[in-house]
Amino acid sequence: MTYNLAAATIAVLHLAFIVFVLLGGLLVLRWPKLAWVHVPAAVWGVLIEFFGWWCPLTRWENYFLEQAGRAGYGGGFVAHYIMPVIYPPGLTRGMEIAIGILVLVINVSVYMKAFR
């Protein structure tokens, strides 16, 4: 596997993880046992946004980009790939907190419905 392919694979997996964190609670409505996987993932996603941590997938992607002779990126996966699509450049700390709150609200709402 080339370094470029490894970096691209991690980027796709990272995006899939983010979608799962944000919307995986909807899958719990159909398969309640999936909550055992989704709750820790959602908590991790919220903590990353609230505390400004870097996801290990970002580090691995940057490592493979650098091994392929390409520049890595700073600011994390969401800031690099997602925010330029949704928001203008310049991700702020307030935006990160808002993303964390959005993830929390969506998932708490879904879990309240799932376990009624």
Side-chain angles (χ1 to χ4, degrees):
M1 179 183 317
T2 68
Y3 292 121
N4 281 320
L5 180 58
T9 300
I10 290 172
V12 169
L13 290 172
H14 206 164
L15 179 59
F17 180 79
I18 290 168
V19 170
F20 180 68
V21 164
L22 187 59
L23 302 174
L26 297 173
L27 298 173
V28 172
L29 293 173
R30 175 87 167 115
W31 299 288
K33 289 184 180 183
L34 190 60
W36 290 102
V37 176
H38 181 254
V39 169
V43 168
W44 176 252
V46 169
L47 290 174
I48 283 177
E49 293 304 330
F50 281 177
F51 294 106
W53 298 341
W54 276 48
C55 178
L57 293 173
T58 301
R59 295 184 194 281
W60 292 344
E61 184 184 355
N62 277 327
Y63 170 79
F64 287 121
L65 287 171
E66 290 165 3
Q67 294 303 307
R70 297 171 51 197
Y73 59 86
F77 181 89
V78 172
H80 184 72
Y81 289 110
I82 308 293
M83 287 306 172
V85 174
I86 299 171
Y87 297 107
L91 176 67
T92 66
R93 191 70 192 114
M95 288 176 171
E96 289 179 335
I97 297 294
I99 291 168
I101 290 170
L102 177 67
V103 168
L104 198 56
V105 167
I106 288 171
N107 284 296
V108 167
S109 300
V110 169
Y111 276 92
M112 287 175 62
K113 180 177 173 82
F115 293 109
R116 274 192 190 148

